[in-house]
Amino acid sequence: MADRVLKVNAFTTFDLLDASVEGHGFEEGAFATLNVRTAREAPEAITLELELDNTELESVPPHADRVTLSADEARTLATELQTAADRVDATGAD
Amino acid sequence: MPSKVERWKDETYGMEIRDHLLRFAEEGWDAIPEDEHDAWFERFKWWGLYHQRKGQESYFMMRIGTPMGRMTPEQLRTVGEVAKEYATGPVDNPEFGDAYADFTTRQSIQLHWINVEDIADIWDELESVGLSTIQACGDSWRNIVGSPVAGRDADELINVWPVVQELHETFKGNDLYANLPRKWKVAMTGDRRGSGQGDINDLAFEPAVKEIDGEEVAGFNVNVGGGLARKEPRFARDIDVFCRPENATDVAAGLSALFRDYGDREDRFNARIKFLVDEWGPEKVRSVLQEEYVDYELPTAGEDLRDEYDYNAGRADATGDYVGVYDQSDGQNFVGLSVLVGRMAADDVIELANLAEAYGSEMIGLTQRQNVIVGDVADEDLDDFLAEDLLSEYSPDPHPFMRGSIACTGTEYCSLSIVETKNRMVRYARYLRDNVPVPEGVEDFHIHLSGCTASCAQPQIADVSLRGMKTRKDGDAVEAFDVGLGGGLGENPQFADWVKMRIPADEVPGYIANLLETYEDERAGPAESFRDFVADRDEDELAALAEAEETSYEDPYLGNTKMTWYPYAEDTSMDASPAPTDGQGEPLPSDD
C-alpha cells in the first residue's frame, strides 16, 4: 500500500479531520490531514494541502490535493471561515 | 536565493560557534538574544546542542558523537557521570528515573535537560577523556557509523577502525567541510554482516573485493545518496567505484566537496545529496567525482558481499543484531547486551563501565540497534560476566520482544513528534513478552517506533513499522500509529509496505498479537521469515492480515502529549512549565 504523500508532524495544521471524497457514482469518507504551507523564504503564496487516508479509499488512487492562494485569497478564505465559525458558535449558544 | 539558514551559517558557523557557546555559558541563558534564538539554536547544533521543544525553553539535548559507537570503559563512565550531574530535569521519567543516557541509531549518545550554563564544565569532563560533541548535529560530517567491533570481529573482510579514525580526524573540525548544504552521514562497513547499514547513509563504503593488476584487493564499493527522511526514502545508489582502504579519505573528501559545491543551498527540503543523485543519476556523480575531485583513475566497482549481510535483514537463519556472545579474532569474546529503546539509567551506565573495566575490556560499542557491546571478555571469565546482576536488566539473551525495539525521542523532548514514543515502546515490549506467544523459530522481531514522518527511528526498515499519527476513539482524539510491514536491509534492502493507518496506540499490541498469530498459522514454515512472508503477499492480503484490538494493555499516554510541557509531569499543562530556568533550574521571570 502506498505511503502518505504529505509529511505529518507537530507543525501540521490538522492531523485528524473528517473528510469525504465524492465523484460520479462514488462517495467515500476517511480521516484526513490538512496543512497550511508557505515557503520558508520570501513566501509569495499560501498552499493548502489535503490528503485523505488512502487505506480508507477505493475510488481514487493515493494522492494529496493542493490549492494555491494569494495573500488576498487567503484572507478572503479566513474571513469566510471566521464568519462561518461565528454562525456555528451561535448555533451552539442557542 | 540562499535560504535563511544559509545566511545564518554565512555569518557564524563551524568551529567559531564554540566561543559563542562558552560566552553564553558564562553569561547565562538570558544572554542569548530572544530575537536571535532561531539563528543561534541552528548554529549550536554544529557543536552538538539541540534546543528542546516548546514548554522546555532553556533546556538542550546534547549529542556526543562516538565514531562507530566505539568507546573505552573510561569514556562510558564519564558519560554516565556527566548524565548524573548535568542531565536532570524538573521531573523524573517514570520508566527511567532522573538521569539517563540515550544510545542512538547512529551510534551516538544523547543527554537531555542540559543547561547552557553547564556547557563549559561538561566539555571539560568529556574532552578530558577524548569525547566530543563536535559536529554531532548540523550541516557537516556527522558521526561515522559502522561496526564497533571492527578489528575484533572474527567475521570480517577488512578492519575498518584505522580507516574510520583517519576519516574522523580528517573531517572533524576541518573548515573545508564544515559548512555543507545539509547533514552528511557516512557509513563504513568492513564486516560480512552489513552492520554499517550503509544503504541509508549519504555515503556508504561497502566491503568488496576486486582483482587489480592480477592481485585480489579487499576494499569498498562506494554508494551515494541514501536516507530515510522527508518521506522520500532512498537507498544509497551504486556509483560504480571501487576504493582501496588507503584511498577512502580521498574519495570521501571528493564526494563531500562535490556535495558542498553542487548541493542545493536554496531549498533545505531538497538539500540532501540523495536529491542530487536523483537529479544527476549515479553516472554523472561518478564522472564529476572523477573529473573534478580526485586525481587518480577510479576503478570500477568490485564484487560485493551483500549476499552474506544479515544485520537488520529480517532473515530466518540469522539474528539481525549484535546481541549475544560472539567470537573475537583474538580468541576472546564480545558480548552484545540488549538496551530496550536505547535508554540506560546513568547509574547503570557507570556500573556497566566499571564492570567492563573489571573484566579487562578495552572496548564498549554502541550499535545502530540502540544496544551496547562489551568487548574483550576472556573465555574463562565469560560465565562470571554473564552472571552479573546488571545483565539481567541488559540481557545478552533477551526475550525476542525485548530485543528488537527501536524508538525515537518522541514528544518527551522533540519539537516534531506528535506521539509519546520511548516509554510507550517499553510498555509494548513488556506487554508482548508477557502476553503474546512468540512464533516458533523467531529470535528477534524488529519493531521501530517513530513519532512522526521524520523517520528518526528508521521506521521503514523494520518487521513492524510504527509511525505516529492521531485518530478518534470514543469521540476523543488519541495518539495512534500508521503501520508498515516487511522492511529491512540485507542483500536486497526493502522499505516497509504501509498497510494500516491510525491504529489507536492502545490497540497496537492487540494488532501485533493478531498479526503474529496469522504469521505463525499461514507461513510456509519456520524457515519463512516474517519479512519473506510479507514480501509474498499483495496489498490487500497485507491489509487483511490482522485487525487492531483492545487488550489488557493500558496506555497512559493516549491523550495529546504534544500539548503538554512534559508528558510525565503531575500537571502537564503548558502553564505549569518551570521553563525557562536559570543554570540552577530556578524559573526565570517571564517578559509579560
Side-chain angles (χ1 to χ4, degrees):
Chain A
M1 218 149 293
D3 195 2
R4 292 182 184 281
V5 176
L6 302 182
K7 68 178 179 180
V8 184
N9 62 34
F11 296 104
T12 301
T13 312
F14 292 106
D15 52 27
L16 176 65
L17 292 175
D18 293 307
S20 62
V21 56
E22 182 182 353
H24 296 293
F26 66 86
E27 183 168 4
E28 293 181 288
F31 285 131
T33 58
L34 178 71
N35 192 36
V36 178
R37 263 184 72 188
T38 50
R40 278 192 187 190
E41 304 290 321
E44 293 177 349
I46 296 99
T47 303
L48 260 183
E49 314 178 300
L50 174 71
E51 180 176 9
L52 277 62
D53 288 5
N54 70 61
T55 49
E56 303 299 311
L57 303 177
E58 291 182 354
S59 51
V60 290
H63 73 286
D65 294 297
R66 291 198 174 93
V67 176
T68 307
L69 303 171
S70 67
D72 279 345
E73 288 166 338
R75 268 189 288 272
T76 301
L77 177 64
T79 304
E80 288 221 12
L81 286 171
Q82 184 70 50
T83 305
D86 290 346
R87 293 188 59 224
V88 170
D89 283 349
T91 305
D94 287 343
Chain B
M1 189 174 69
S3 69
K4 185 164 63 182
V5 172
E6 285 298 322
R7 293 199 297 276
W8 294 335
K9 286 159 60 182
D10 282 344
E11 288 171 22
T12 307
Y13 209 56
M15 294 296 281
E16 61 184 324
I17 297 165
R18 184 183 177 95
D19 291 338
H20 291 281
L21 266 166
L22 290 172
R23 175 168 59 85
F24 292 132
E26 181 78 27
E27 296 174 5
W29 161 258
D30 269 350
I32 310 171
E34 204 162 324
D35 59 348
E36 296 176 18
H37 275 183
D38 288 349
W40 283 114
F41 296 164
E42 188 63 41
R43 294 174 183 134
F44 290 171
K45 292 176 187 174
W46 202 93
W47 271 100
L49 286 164
Y50 257 87
H51 188 244
Q52 291 179 191
R53 71 172 174 88
K54 186 179 175 191
Q56 300 170 4
E57 290 78 7
S58 78
Y59 289 105
F60 291 85
M61 178 274 279
M62 171 179 275
R63 188 181 291 160
I64 305 159
T66 48
M68 299 206 305
R70 191 146 152 159
M71 312 165 76
T72 63
E74 181 191 32
Q75 288 174 326
L76 184 70
R77 184 184 308 109
T78 303
V79 166
E81 288 168 352
V82 167
K84 215 168 147 64
E85 188 171 354
Y86 301 103
T88 57
V91 175
D92 290 358
N93 178 301
E95 299 290 347
F96 299 98
D98 62 342
Y100 38 84
D102 287 349
F103 304 146
T104 77
T105 53
R106 295 199 79 257
Q107 299 173 284
S108 297
I109 299 149
Q110 292 183 177
L111 307 177
H112 292 92
W113 298 120
I114 299 295
N115 291 114
V116 72
E117 291 84 352
D118 293 327
I119 297 295
D121 293 338
I122 294 174
W123 277 344
D124 280 349
E125 288 193 38
L126 294 176
E127 289 167 8
S128 72
V129 294
L131 290 171
S132 177
T133 63
I134 188 172
Q135 287 164 261
C137 322
D139 295 345
S140 66
W141 272 74
R142 298 292 191 86
N143 193 42
I144 301 165
V145 298
S147 167
V149 289
R152 284 174 167 77
D153 193 344
D155 186 22
E156 68 182 1
L157 177 72
I158 309 168
N159 172 14
V160 298
W161 179 232
V163 190
V164 168
Q165 285 176 296
E166 185 180 315
L167 293 177
H168 181 79
E169 281 157 21
T170 305
F171 296 106
K172 292 286 183 177
N174 184 331
D175 287 345
L176 279 176
Y177 310 94
N179 181 358
L180 301 177
R182 202 71 174 77
K183 62 181 81 169
W184 179 251
K185 294 178 172 177
V186 177
M188 179 166 273
T189 306
D191 59 44
R192 297 170 183 277
R193 307 168 191 268
S195 68
Q197 299 202 121
D199 294 319
I200 55 169
N201 282 264
D202 295 293
L203 168 58
F205 291 93
E206 301 284 353
V209 291
K210 185 174 175 70
E211 193 175 305
I212 299 176
D213 300 331
E215 182 196 352
E216 186 158 280
V217 179
F220 309 99
N221 284 346
V222 180
N223 295 348
V224 182
L228 298 176
R230 291 250 170 264
K231 301 207 24 51
E232 297 275 359
R234 301 280 188 280
F235 293 119
R237 269 64 57 90
D238 174 6
I239 63 164
D240 194 21
V241 168
F242 177 80
C243 172
R244 292 172 184 266
E246 57 268 34
N247 294 127
T249 301
D250 288 341
V251 169
L255 281 163
S256 51
L258 181 154
F259 176 51
R260 177 194 64 208
D261 300 340
Y262 289 101
D264 187 345
R265 289 184 188 264
E266 295 186 2
D267 179 2
R268 289 181 66 76
F269 294 153
N270 193 48
R272 292 284 292 275
I273 198 170
K274 63 185 175 184
F275 298 114
L276 188 65
V277 180
D278 287 357
E279 187 187 329
W280 280 9
E283 299 80 11
K284 182 172 174 183
V285 174
R286 188 189 203 285
S287 63
V288 173
L289 174 69
Q290 176 71 79
E291 287 160 23
E292 301 180 26
Y293 294 99
V294 292
D295 56 9
Y296 74 98
E297 189 173 343
L298 294 165
T300 56
E303 192 173 332
D304 64 42
L305 311 178
R306 295 195 68 103
D307 62 339
E308 297 181 58
Y309 284 10
D310 56 22
Y311 196 82
N312 194 28
R315 285 165 58 153
D317 61 347
T319 54
D321 57 28
Y322 278 110
V323 174
V325 178
Y326 296 86
D327 293 336
Q328 287 187 188
S329 49
D330 63 1
Q332 299 191 91
N333 307 276
F334 67 85
V335 183
L337 307 178
S338 177
V339 183
L340 193 55
V341 304
R343 180 168 286 179
M344 189 180 265
D347 285 331
D348 293 344
V349 172
I350 294 168
E351 191 180 335
L352 181 65
N354 292 339
L355 206 56
E357 202 165 67
Y359 279 86
S361 172
E362 294 178 4
M363 192 224 69
I364 301 289
L366 309 179
T367 78
Q368 293 190 54
R369 299 205 55 76
Q370 300 184 327
N371 294 317
V372 63
I373 296 170
V374 176
D376 311 330
V377 180
D379 281 346
E380 60 269 27
D381 295 334
L382 192 58
D383 287 345
D384 287 345
F385 181 72
L386 296 176
E388 294 285 352
D389 287 346
L390 192 67
L391 272 65
S392 58
E393 175 75 19
Y394 307 101
S395 174
D397 185 24
H399 187 282
F401 293 135
M402 302 295 281
R403 172 175 191 154
S405 301
I406 284 179
C408 70
T409 298
T411 49
E412 183 176 11
Y413 301 114
C414 175
S415 299
L416 288 173
S417 182
I418 54 177
V419 300
E420 204 282 341
T421 54
K422 281 198 190 280
N423 288 19
R424 177 174 277 142
M425 189 65 243
V426 167
R427 297 172 67 89
Y428 281 175
R430 288 183 191 145
Y431 174 85
L432 294 172
R433 176 195 63 192
D434 296 340
N435 295 281
V436 177
V438 179
E440 188 195 337
V442 170
E443 290 186 41
D444 58 342
F445 188 73
H446 293 180
I447 302 172
H448 293 192
L449 189 155
S450 236
C452 72
T453 55
S455 303
C456 298
Q458 305 172 345
Q460 300 94 331
I461 50 168
D463 292 316
V464 172
S465 314
L466 301 175
R467 195 176 59 195
M469 271 303 292
K470 292 280 169 51
T471 194
R472 197 170 297 127
K473 181 165 177 168
D474 304 329
D476 295 321
V478 298
E479 298 194 354
F481 290 93
D482 288 346
V483 177
L485 301 177
L489 298 180
E491 181 178 9
N492 300 301
Q494 174 72 40
F495 296 126
D497 277 319
W498 294 94
V499 302
K500 294 279 187 189
M501 288 181 173
R502 303 184 197 263
I503 292 184
D506 63 335
E507 298 180 24
V508 167
Y511 172 81
I512 294 173
N514 293 337
L515 178 71
L516 288 173
E517 191 179 340
T518 304
Y519 165 59
E520 188 160 30
D521 288 348
E522 296 184 7
R523 67 183 174 178
E528 184 178 30
S529 70
F530 182 78
R531 189 174 159 193
D532 289 341
F533 176 79
V534 170
D536 278 348
R537 280 157 177 77
D538 66 24
E539 282 186 5
D540 292 340
E541 289 172 314
L542 292 177
L545 281 180
E547 294 303 322
E549 185 181 350
E550 282 187 3
T551 60
S552 60
Y553 169 81
E554 290 181 7
D555 196 306
Y557 314 116
L558 259 193
N560 202 346
T561 59
K562 176 183 87 172
M563 302 304 289
T564 68
W565 77 270
Y566 189 61
Y568 325 119
E570 199 166 315
D571 182 350
T572 58
S573 65
M574 281 289 174
D575 292 345
S577 169
T581 67
D582 64 16
Q584 279 70 51
E586 294 300 318
L588 289 163
S590 78
D591 292 337
D592 46 46

